[in-house]
Amino acid sequence: GAGVSQTPSNKVTEKGKYVELRCDPISGHTALYWYRQSLGQGPEFLIYFQGTGAADDSGLPNDRFFAVRPEGSVSTLKIQRTERGDSAVYLCASSLGLAGLNEQFFGPGTRLTVL
Amino acid sequence: EDKVVQSPLSLVVHEGDTVTLNCSYEVTNFRSLLWYKQEKKAPTFLFMLTSSGIEKKSGRLSSILDKKELSSILNITATQTGDSAIYLCACGGSNYKLTFGKGTLLTVNP
């Protein structure tokens, strides 16, 4: 597609529920990133994929968070047993994946609200 | 730990004013500094700077990197109300992650 797309744009869930957030990167971009942005903060890195593999998941806050990219294109961020502190905007970005050249293009994000 | 600091955190100006936004960084194996504009949700890419002293320009926006001072500035001349947004500075090292500052909230009043 023309840009990075994310679905849903908004998600409201109850504490303890499971959620999945989807990201469609720019066609041809091998690198995909997930970030989380809380109010008044810049985006914070969660996980990076190069192709199908998670090259670095060091930013995931705990084992309730998991992400996959099974065919090297679309990625899903999964959050189990959601907590109120998970409420944030989850941003996905993609890039050509060239080492050291980090021009990343962002999607519109998913605003997650955990009640 | 990599760190990016932006100043000011917020700024209110009148249309037609010129503004300068600042970004300083401490990043291991620094490779690039990026500026994004964020309205509503998606940060939109403005500039990527890799070389010191070379100005990048797009319309009324320009930016320059100073690797000696570990900093960058983003200038906006003849501001318009449509320039109102959060401006994010981010740095990339030899890895792939971007480390972001908290952003500068710019409000341009008519």
Side-chain angles (χ1 to χ4, degrees):
Chain A
V4 179
S5 62
Q6 292 186 246
T7 55
S9 55
N10 286 283
K11 176 72 179 176
V12 179
T13 191
E14 293 178 343
K15 182 175 177 298
K17 298 289 188 185
Y18 168 82
V19 297
E20 288 190 352
L21 313 179
R22 177 188 166 105
C23 172
D24 265 288
I26 292 171
S27 178
H29 281 192
T30 61
L32 184 146
Y33 316 79
W34 284 98
Y35 293 83
R36 177 166 75 171
Q37 187 174 24
S38 301
L39 197 62
Q41 304 293 320
E44 294 178 317
F45 171 80
L46 295 176
I47 186 170
Y48 154 66
F49 288 89
Q50 181 63 263
T52 59
D56 187 343
D57 63 0
S58 63
L60 295 178
N62 51 60
D63 62 6
R64 295 185 298 105
F65 288 74
F66 188 71
V68 296
R69 193 185 186 200
E71 296 177 0
S73 179
V74 170
S75 176
T76 305
L77 178 66
K78 308 180 180 195
I79 311 175
Q80 299 177 318
R81 304 184 303 280
T82 50
E83 299 178 357
R84 292 196 180 90
D86 298 335
S87 296
V89 175
Y90 289 81
L91 293 165
C92 176
S94 70
S95 76
L96 286 171
L98 301 175
L101 295 176
N102 306 108
E103 188 175 322
Q104 298 179 16
F105 296 92
F106 283 81
T110 294
R111 183 177 300 280
L112 175 66
T113 304
V114 182
L115 301 176
Chain B
E1 185 180 327
D2 293 345
K3 192 174 170 184
V4 176
V5 177
Q6 293 186 246
S7 64
L9 290 181
S10 66
L11 187 57
V12 181
V13 300
H14 291 291
E15 265 193 320
D17 288 351
T18 293
V19 298
T20 298
L21 310 183
N22 301 285
C23 176
S24 63
Y25 61 88
E26 295 174 25
V27 172
T28 304
N29 297 321
F30 172 87
R31 297 290 283 272
S32 57
L33 185 145
L34 295 87
W35 285 96
Y36 288 87
K37 178 182 182 182
Q38 188 172 31
E39 300 168 278
K40 298 181 183 177
K41 283 196 279 188
T44 53
F45 174 77
L46 294 175
F47 299 112
M48 184 170 76
L49 305 160
T50 56
S51 300
S52 204
I54 298 174
E55 184 183 56
K56 290 221 174 173
K57 203 169 167 63
S58 176
R60 295 176 295 103
L61 277 67
S62 63
S63 183
I64 196 161
L65 176 66
D66 186 338
K67 284 187 176 180
K68 190 175 173 187
E69 296 295 326
L70 305 182
S71 66
S72 173
I73 59 171
L74 175 68
N75 281 319
I76 309 175
T77 59
T79 51
Q80 302 171 356
T81 55
D83 295 328
S84 296
I86 296 171
Y87 290 83
L88 293 166
C89 174
C91 290
S94 56
N95 55 26
Y96 34 81
K97 301 179 197 180
L98 289 180
T99 300
F100 281 84
K102 290 187 177 183
T104 293
L105 174 61
L106 175 64
T107 303
V108 181
N109 290 325

